[in-house]
Amino acid sequence: MVPTVTATLGLKGERPVIGTRDCKDVVHTFASANVTTGAVTSRLYGSRTQKRRKDGLSKTKRMQVAFAHHLLDVARAYPANAYPEVLLVIDNAPWHRGRPVHWALGRYPHLTLYRLPPYSPQLQPIERLWRPLRQRATHNVLFDEMAELQDALRSGLGYYRTRPQAVLKLLGSLWSPTQSAEA
């Protein structure tokens, strides 16, 4: 809910006033991008400060459950009968392991997690989507409600869902299955 401030217009010599809220509510975005088709599968997880204080769960536990739900979304998008193996490249975040994640992987054994070495976000293809998504959805905007932030993120993700070629360009994988092996 805290705005991402980027370059903005203002009077020379005057510092622009940017609104802010004393609010630590956040929206986490889980997304997977198919590096051959450009299809994007995503899930938003809103986390309100007041609710976090009441439920007593750690951030890791909440995020493990949200990531497990994202894995279920990926399994629905890529069913085992059509896709015998789906490889998801992930980092070493603590919410990419744990009981909920193991449950989701046990339910859908065709999903395989490939863990990258520590501190190597440059190897993670989906990282190339985050900056343009945030520029499109959140830069220089102060959101009054979490629903507004979620709508902006859904709209940004919808933009990339309808433009798989743009996703492939961002990912750096403009491979086409129709291209010949010699090309």
Side-chain angles (χ1 to χ4, degrees):
M1 297 287 292
V2 177
T4 306
V5 182
T6 61
T8 185
L9 294 175
L11 297 174
K12 186 173 183 174
E14 301 274 332
R15 186 177 194 152
V17 177
I18 305 297
T20 186
R21 305 261 187 274
D22 191 22
C23 173
K24 302 297 185 223
D25 294 346
V26 294
V27 176
H28 299 281
T29 306
F30 293 93
S32 300
N34 187 320
V35 295
T36 57
T37 67
V40 175
T41 305
S42 64
R43 172 174 284 268
L44 299 178
Y45 169 64
S47 182
R48 295 191 176 274
T49 305
Q50 293 298 327
K51 186 177 177 188
R52 289 193 306 256
R53 289 184 182 144
K54 289 179 185 175
D55 70 10
L57 295 174
S58 68
K59 175 184 177 182
T60 301
K61 294 288 183 194
R62 285 191 302 275
M63 296 289 281
Q64 285 172 342
V65 171
F67 182 64
H69 284 287
H70 175 65
L71 291 175
L72 299 178
D73 294 342
V74 171
R76 280 191 291 277
Y78 300 96
N81 57 354
Y83 301 91
E85 184 176 18
V86 176
L87 182 68
L88 291 115
V89 178
I90 60 170
D91 58 18
N92 288 296
W95 48 84
H96 289 154
R97 61 185 54 114
R99 186 174 292 154
V101 175
H102 292 300
W103 174 83
L105 293 173
R107 187 169 175 191
Y108 296 102
H110 70 290
L111 298 181
T112 304
L113 300 181
Y114 177 79
R115 294 185 190 283
L116 291 173
Y119 307 105
S120 56
Q122 72 279 8
L123 299 177
Q124 174 62 284
I126 197 70
E127 291 291 337
R128 297 179 198 122
L129 181 67
W130 295 136
R131 177 174 284 154
L133 173 64
R134 290 189 63 212
Q135 286 173 340
R136 176 170 291 285
T138 66
H139 281 191
N140 291 335
V141 180
L142 176 63
F143 297 98
D144 291 322
E145 298 291 328
M146 184 182 283
E148 294 174 4
L149 174 58
Q150 289 176 326
D151 289 343
L153 287 167
R154 278 189 196 98
S155 175
L157 288 164
Y159 172 85
Y160 288 110
R161 270 195 204 94
T162 60
R163 292 166 180 80
Q165 288 303 98
V167 173
L168 291 175
K169 187 174 180 182
L170 286 171
L171 298 180
S173 62
L174 290 173
W175 176 81
S176 171
T178 58
Q179 291 176 337
S180 69
E182 296 119 23

